[in-house]
Amino acid sequence: MSDALINGLSGAGGGIIAQLITYPLQTVNTRQQTERDAKKAKRKHGTLEQMCQVVKNEGWGRLYSGLAPSIVGTACSQGVYYYFYQIFRDRAEAIARENKRNGIGDGSVGILSSLVVAALAGCTNVLLTNPIWVVVTRMQTHTKNSKKSQLGHSSIAPDEKALDPIECPPYGTGHAIQELYDEAGIQGFWKGVFPTLIMVSNPSMQFMLYETMLKKLKRKRALVKQGDTGVTALEIFLLGALAKLGATVVTYPLLVVKSRLQAKQATTGDKRHHYEGTLDAILKMIRYEGLHGFYKGMSTKIVQSVLAAAVLFMIKEELVRGARMLLTKGGTSTGRTRLA
């Protein structure tokens, strides 16, 4: 089994577990990012308070709305990313070794090369998996309130509405896909792809910071423990958290723009809530919400992203280590059987 496949499968496994643990935070954060009601925005509810409100008004299930496609998306995204990252990384290392033989460099992959490798893997991932994340965003931002507002325009009398506890029909993956297709056709599944491609800098920064810190830690460990470069799961957890924190702070405004574009657009009424594209969204947010609008829900995102990234790195490294141990043992036992 190749290193690329091991890293791809391990990344997918770690991503799924991290997603399950942090999904309620992700749902609340997406709602915070896409909130366009100025009155609600001024109330400034905390993350836990908003989670409690969702549970109270819509039930526990709404915190996990879109979980199924999100898990599929996470597995695909992490698998695709790590698979292509390893392929591009192997190529970069081969070029570095060749350059060393020609008297150029020390044979190691530099920071700039690591950034390019991560960016290429990230762009490949975005182009292949964006449709999944548009559907997930639609499901996370769908609320029962939107159904109630629709009932308010019907011919039912006010006293009848008060006595009739009608609930929204289930809004599943199929409903989200059909709604998106009816609204924008096939191209609708690539809404927000432009800011998302720019956001490739987030994992690029993340992996650049992570690998740089990991390399320095291993060097110090080798000096102190005479060649032992082993790193513990807790150290990987902390390195992953620090790397994700730095990347998230820089790229968060693009994430808000992406979420606004992927959420259901207002087709009637206030045109401030309808975005024609990335530039239109940015200009309207600056005009009507100010720079503050680009950082809505940032504290929630930092907690969610840092926790998810830390869990992902820790579990991925453990899975990679375990897979290599199993392959090594399998190869040893096969060799012994042949000798026997």
Side-chain angles (χ1 to χ4, degrees):
M1 186 181 293
S2 67
D3 276 348
L5 185 57
I6 291 174
N7 278 273
L9 293 175
S10 299
I16 289 173
I17 294 174
Q19 186 81 336
L20 288 171
I21 293 173
T22 64
Y23 196 79
L25 288 171
Q26 185 179 332
T27 298
V28 170
N29 180 240
T30 303
R31 293 191 176 196
Q32 290 171 338
Q33 292 170 348
T34 56
E35 179 55 63
R36 304 166 201 177
D37 188 332
K39 294 181 180 178
K40 289 183 180 180
K42 289 179 180 179
R43 294 174 190 171
K44 292 185 179 180
H45 294 301
T47 302
L48 290 178
E49 187 178 355
Q50 284 187 284
M51 290 176 70
C52 291
Q53 285 183 343
V54 172
V55 172
K56 181 180 178 180
N57 298 329
E58 304 176 52
W60 281 97
R62 287 295 178 178
L63 286 177
Y64 291 91
S65 183
L67 179 61
S70 182
I71 289 177
V72 173
T74 298
C76 291
S77 293
Q78 297 299 334
V80 168
Y81 184 87
Y82 281 109
Y83 180 79
F84 282 99
Y85 179 84
Q86 192 62 47
I87 288 176
F88 294 139
R89 179 79 183 182
D90 290 344
R91 180 59 181 162
E93 289 176 350
I95 292 173
R97 288 193 296 270
E98 182 65 27
N99 288 338
K100 184 180 180 180
R101 283 194 290 269
N102 295 329
I104 304 172
D106 59 357
S108 63
V109 178
I111 293 178
L112 180 60
S113 296
S114 294
L115 186 61
V116 172
V117 165
L120 288 172
C123 287
T124 305
N125 173 39
V126 167
L127 293 173
L128 292 176
T129 65
N130 194 75
I132 300 174
W133 297 115
V134 177
V135 172
V136 171
T137 300
R138 288 297 180 102
M139 296 181 72
Q140 288 177 332
T141 55
H142 180 82
T143 65
K144 291 184 178 180
N145 292 332
S146 60
K147 185 70 175 177
K148 291 177 183 178
S149 63
Q150 292 172 9
L151 291 173
H153 295 292
S154 66
S155 59
I156 301 175
D159 55 341
E160 289 181 284
K161 288 190 293 182
L163 296 173
D164 189 10
I166 299 175
E167 286 208 4
C168 287
Y171 186 76
T173 306
H175 294 88
I177 293 173
Q178 186 63 52
E179 179 186 74
L180 181 58
Y181 180 77
D182 292 342
E183 179 184 310
I186 292 295
Q187 64 183 15
F189 291 93
W190 274 269
K191 281 191 172 186
V193 72
F194 182 69
T196 308
L197 283 171
I198 300 175
M199 279 179 59
V200 162
S201 58
N202 183 293
S204 298
M205 290 179 191
Q206 175 186 342
F207 278 91
M208 181 184 68
L209 291 171
Y210 173 75
E211 291 203 347
T212 300
M213 291 187 292
L214 182 62
K215 188 181 293 185
K216 288 183 178 180
L217 179 61
K218 285 184 175 181
R219 284 177 181 172
K220 289 184 178 180
R221 187 64 48 80
L223 292 174
V224 174
K225 295 189 176 181
Q226 297 180 347
D228 182 12
T229 59
V231 181
T232 67
L234 178 59
E235 288 170 333
I236 291 172
F237 181 95
L238 294 174
L239 290 178
L242 287 172
K244 189 62 178 181
L245 176 60
T248 298
V249 170
V250 174
T251 61
Y252 188 77
L254 287 170
L255 181 61
V256 176
V257 173
K258 183 209 73 166
S259 296
R260 294 287 183 96
L261 291 169
Q262 292 181 344
K264 184 175 175 61
Q265 298 292 302
T267 55
T268 58
D270 195 346
K271 292 299 181 180
R272 293 180 301 176
H273 298 169
H274 180 75
Y275 306 128
E276 298 293 340
T278 302
L279 182 59
D280 185 50
I282 293 172
L283 293 176
K284 284 181 177 177
M285 288 177 67
I286 293 174
R287 181 178 178 183
Y288 299 115
E289 301 176 56
L291 294 177
H292 169 73
F294 291 96
Y295 290 92
K296 284 184 175 179
M298 185 172 178
S299 59
T300 305
K301 184 61 180 178
I302 287 176
V303 174
Q304 185 269 329
S305 294
V306 169
L307 180 59
V311 172
L312 166 63
F313 277 117
M314 181 178 69
I315 293 176
K316 172 188 171 291
E317 293 294 338
E318 290 301 309
L319 289 175
V320 168
R321 188 179 303 172
R324 285 174 177 166
M325 285 179 63
L326 288 174
L327 289 173
T328 302
K329 289 181 180 179
T332 304
S333 60
T334 301
R336 289 176 179 173
T337 303
R338 288 176 180 174
L339 289 173

